[in-house]
Coordinates of all heavy atoms in Angstrom, one line a residue:
Y112 N 106.9 48.2 52.7 CA 107.9 48.9 53.6 C 108.5 47.9 54.5 O 109.8 48.0 54.7 CB 107.1 49.8 54.4 CG 107.9 50.7 55.5 CD1 108.8 51.6 55.1 CD2 107.9 50.3 56.9 CE1 109.5 52.2 56.0 CE2 108.6 50.9 57.7 CZ 109.5 51.8 57.4 OH 110.3 52.6 58.2
H113 N 107.9 46.8 54.9 CA 108.5 45.9 55.7 C 109.6 45.1 55.1 O 110.8 44.9 55.5 CB 107.5 44.8 56.2 CG 108.0 43.6 56.9 ND1 108.4 43.8 58.4 CD2 108.4 42.5 56.7 CE1 108.8 42.7 58.8 NE2 108.9 41.7 57.8
A114 N 109.5 44.8 53.8 CA 110.5 44.1 52.9 C 111.7 45.0 52.6 O 112.7 44.6 52.6 CB 109.9 43.7 51.8
G115 N 111.5 46.4 52.5 CA 112.5 47.2 51.8 C 112.9 48.3 52.8 O 113.5 49.4 52.5
R116 N 112.6 48.1 54.1 CA 112.8 49.2 55.2 C 114.1 49.7 55.1 O 114.4 50.9 55.1 CB 112.3 48.6 56.5 CG 112.6 49.7 57.6 CD 112.4 49.1 59.0 NE 112.9 50.0 59.9 CZ 112.2 50.4 61.0 NH1 111.0 50.0 61.3 NH2 112.8 51.3 61.8
E117 N 115.1 48.9 55.3 CA 116.6 49.3 55.4 C 117.0 50.2 54.1 O 117.7 51.2 54.3 CB 117.5 48.1 55.7 CG 117.5 47.4 57.1 CD 116.3 46.6 57.2 OE1 115.7 46.0 56.3 OE2 115.7 46.5 58.3
K118 N 116.6 49.6 53.0 CA 116.9 50.3 51.8 C 116.3 51.7 51.6 O 116.7 52.7 51.3 CB 116.7 49.4 50.5 CG 117.8 48.4 50.4 CD 117.5 47.6 49.2 CE 118.5 46.3 49.1 NZ 118.3 45.5 47.9
L119 N 114.9 51.7 52.0 CA 114.1 52.9 52.0 C 114.8 53.8 52.9 O 114.8 55.2 52.7 CB 112.7 52.7 52.4 CG 111.8 52.0 51.2 CD1 110.5 51.6 51.8 CD2 111.7 52.8 50.0
R120 N 115.0 53.4 54.2 CA 115.7 54.4 55.2 C 117.1 54.8 54.9 O 117.5 55.7 55.5 CB 115.4 53.9 56.5 CG 113.9 53.7 56.8 CD 113.5 53.5 58.3 NE 113.6 54.7 59.0 CZ 113.1 55.1 60.2 NH1 112.1 54.3 60.6 NH2 113.0 56.3 60.7
S121 N 117.5 54.1 54.0 CA 119.0 54.7 53.6 C 118.9 56.0 52.8 O 120.1 56.7 52.7 CB 119.8 53.5 52.7 OG 119.2 53.5 51.5
Y122 N 117.8 56.3 52.3 CA 117.6 57.8 51.8 C 117.5 58.6 53.0 O 116.7 58.5 53.8 CB 116.4 57.9 51.0 CG 116.3 57.3 49.7 CD1 115.7 56.1 49.4 CD2 117.1 57.8 48.6 CE1 115.6 55.6 48.1 CE2 117.1 57.2 47.2 CZ 116.3 56.1 47.1 OH 116.2 55.6 45.8
G123 N 118.3 59.6 53.2 CA 118.3 60.5 54.4 C 117.0 61.3 54.4 O 116.5 61.2 55.6
W124 N 116.5 61.7 53.5 CA 115.1 62.4 53.6 C 113.9 61.5 54.0 O 113.1 61.8 54.7 CB 114.9 63.1 52.1 CG 114.6 62.2 51.0 CD1 115.7 61.8 50.2 CD2 113.6 61.4 50.7 NE1 115.2 60.9 49.2 CE2 113.8 60.7 49.6 CE3 112.1 61.5 51.1 CZ2 112.9 59.9 48.8 CZ3 111.3 60.5 50.4 CH2 111.7 59.8 49.4
F125 N 114.1 60.2 53.5 CA 113.0 59.3 53.8 C 113.2 58.9 55.3 O 112.2 58.8 56.0 CB 113.2 58.0 52.9 CG 112.0 57.1 53.0 CD1 111.0 57.2 52.2 CD2 112.0 56.1 54.1 CE1 109.8 56.3 52.3 CE2 110.9 55.2 54.2 CZ 109.9 55.3 53.3
D126 N 114.5 58.7 55.7 CA 114.7 58.3 57.2 C 114.2 59.5 58.1 O 113.6 59.3 59.1 CB 116.1 58.0 57.4 CG 116.2 57.6 58.8 OD1 115.8 56.5 59.3 OD2 117.1 58.2 59.6
W127 N 114.4 60.7 57.6 CA 114.1 61.9 58.4 C 112.4 62.0 58.4 O 111.9 62.2 59.5 CB 114.5 63.2 57.8 CG 114.1 64.4 58.4 CD1 114.7 65.1 59.6 CD2 113.0 65.2 58.3 NE1 114.0 66.0 60.0 CE2 113.0 66.3 59.0 CE3 112.0 65.3 57.2 CZ2 111.9 67.3 59.0 CZ3 111.0 66.1 57.2 CH2 111.0 67.2 58.1
A128 N 111.8 61.8 57.4 CA 110.5 61.8 57.2 C 109.7 60.9 58.0 O 108.9 61.0 58.9 CB 109.9 61.8 55.9
M129 N 110.3 59.5 58.0 CA 109.8 58.5 59.0 C 110.0 58.8 60.4 O 109.2 58.4 61.2 CB 110.5 57.1 58.5 CG 109.9 56.6 57.1 SD 108.2 56.5 57.0 CE 107.7 55.2 58.2
T130 N 111.2 59.3 60.7 CA 111.4 59.7 62.1 C 110.5 60.7 62.6 O 110.0 60.7 63.7 CB 112.9 60.2 62.3 OG1 113.8 59.0 61.9 CG2 113.3 60.5 63.7
Q131 N 110.1 61.8 61.8 CA 109.2 62.8 62.1 C 107.8 62.1 62.3 O 107.1 62.4 63.2 CB 109.1 63.9 61.0 CG 110.4 64.7 60.9 CD 111.1 65.2 62.3 OE1 110.2 65.9 62.9 NE2 112.2 64.8 62.6
A132 N 107.3 61.3 61.2 CA 106.1 60.6 61.3 C 106.0 59.8 62.6 O 104.9 59.8 63.3 CB 105.8 59.8 60.1
E133 N 107.0 59.1 63.0 CA 107.0 58.3 64.2 C 106.9 59.1 65.4 O 106.1 58.8 66.4 CB 108.2 57.4 64.3 CG 108.2 56.2 63.2 CD 109.5 55.6 63.0 OE1 110.6 56.1 63.5 OE2 109.7 54.6 62.1
A134 N 107.6 60.2 65.5 CA 107.6 61.2 66.7 C 106.1 61.8 66.8 O 105.6 61.9 67.8 CB 108.5 62.4 66.4
V135 N 105.4 62.2 65.6 CA 104.1 62.7 65.7 C 103.1 61.6 66.2 O 102.3 61.8 66.9 CB 103.8 63.2 64.2 CG1 102.2 63.6 64.1 CG2 104.4 64.4 63.9
R136 N 103.3 60.5 65.6 CA 102.4 59.2 66.0 C 102.6 59.0 67.5 O 101.6 58.8 68.2 CB 102.9 58.0 65.3 CG 102.0 56.8 65.5 CD 102.5 55.5 65.2 NE 103.8 55.2 65.8 CZ 104.8 54.7 65.3 NH1 104.8 54.1 64.1 NH2 105.9 54.6 65.9
D137 N 103.8 59.0 67.9 CA 104.1 58.7 69.3 C 103.5 59.8 70.3 O 102.9 59.5 71.3 CB 105.6 58.4 69.6 CG 106.1 57.2 69.0 OD1 105.3 56.4 68.5 OD2 107.4 57.2 69.0
S138 N 103.6 61.1 69.9 CA 103.2 62.1 70.7 C 101.6 62.1 70.8 O 101.0 62.4 71.7 CB 103.7 63.4 70.2 OG 103.2 63.9 69.0
L139 N 101.0 61.8 69.6 CA 99.5 61.6 69.6 C 99.1 60.6 70.3 O 98.0 60.7 71.0 CB 99.1 61.7 68.1 CG 99.2 63.1 67.3 CD1 98.9 62.9 65.8 CD2 98.3 64.2 67.9
K140 N 99.8 59.5 70.2 CA 99.4 58.3 71.0 C 99.4 58.6 72.5 O 98.5 58.3 73.3 CB 100.2 57.1 70.7 CG 99.7 56.3 69.5 CD 100.7 55.2 69.3 CE 100.2 54.3 68.1 NZ 101.1 53.1 67.9
S141 N 100.5 59.2 73.0 CA 100.8 59.6 74.4 C 99.7 60.6 74.8 O 98.9 60.4 76.0 CB 102.0 60.3 74.5 OG 102.2 60.6 75.8
A142 N 99.4 61.6 74.0 CA 98.3 62.6 74.3 C 97.0 61.9 74.4 O 96.1 62.3 75.3 CB 98.3 63.7 73.3
G143 N 96.7 61.0 73.5 CA 95.3 60.2 73.5 C 95.3 59.4 74.8 O 94.3 59.3 75.4
R144 N 96.3 58.8 75.2 CA 96.4 57.9 76.5 C 96.1 58.9 77.6 O 95.4 58.5 78.5 CB 97.7 57.0 76.7 CG 97.7 55.9 75.7 CD 98.9 55.0 76.0 NE 100.3 55.6 75.9 CZ 100.9 55.6 74.7 NH1 100.5 55.0 73.6 NH2 102.0 56.3 74.5
E145 N 96.7 60.0 77.6 CA 96.7 60.8 78.7 C 95.2 61.3 78.8 O 94.7 61.6 79.8 CB 97.6 62.1 78.7 CG 97.5 63.0 79.8 CD 97.5 62.4 81.1 OE1 98.4 61.4 81.4 OE2 96.8 62.9 82.0
A146 N 94.5 61.7 77.5 CA 93.3 62.1 77.6 C 92.2 61.1 78.1 O 91.3 61.4 78.9 CB 92.8 62.4 76.1
V147 N 92.4 59.8 77.8 CA 91.6 58.7 78.2 C 91.9 58.6 79.8 O 90.8 58.4 80.5 CB 91.9 57.5 77.5 CG1 91.3 56.2 78.2 CG2 91.4 57.6 76.1
A148 N 93.1 58.7 80.1 CA 93.4 58.5 81.6 C 92.7 59.6 82.5 O 92.2 59.5 83.5 CB 94.8 58.5 82.0
S149 N 92.8 60.8 81.8 CA 92.2 62.0 82.5 C 90.6 61.9 82.6 O 89.9 62.2 83.5 CB 92.5 63.3 81.7 OG 91.9 64.4 82.3
M150 N 90.1 61.3 81.6 CA 88.7 61.2 81.3 C 88.2 60.3 82.4 O 87.2 60.4 83.2 CB 88.3 60.6 80.1 CG 86.7 60.5 80.0 SD 86.3 59.6 78.3 CE 86.9 58.1 78.5
W151 N 89.1 59.1 82.6 CA 88.5 58.1 83.6 C 88.8 58.7 85.0 O 88.0 58.2 86.0 CB 89.5 56.7 83.4 CG 89.1 56.0 82.3 CD1 89.7 55.6 81.1 CD2 87.7 55.2 82.2 NE1 88.9 54.9 80.3 CE2 87.7 54.6 81.0 CE3 86.6 55.0 83.1 CZ2 86.5 53.7 80.6 CZ3 85.5 54.4 82.7 CH2 85.4 53.8 81.4

Side-chain angles (χ1 to χ4, degrees):
Y112 179 73
H113 177 76
R116 178 186 167 133
E117 285 76 28
K118 289 182 181 178
L119 288 171
R120 292 197 81 152
S121 71
Y122 286 109
W124 61 268
F125 190 94
D126 187 57
W127 178 87
M129 289 305 295
T130 300
Q131 298 306 308
E133 290 163 358
V135 168
R136 181 198 62 212
D137 293 346
S138 69
L139 287 171
K140 279 184 176 180
S141 177
R144 280 192 297 271
E145 179 53 40
V147 169
S149 178
M150 180 185 70
W151 282 114

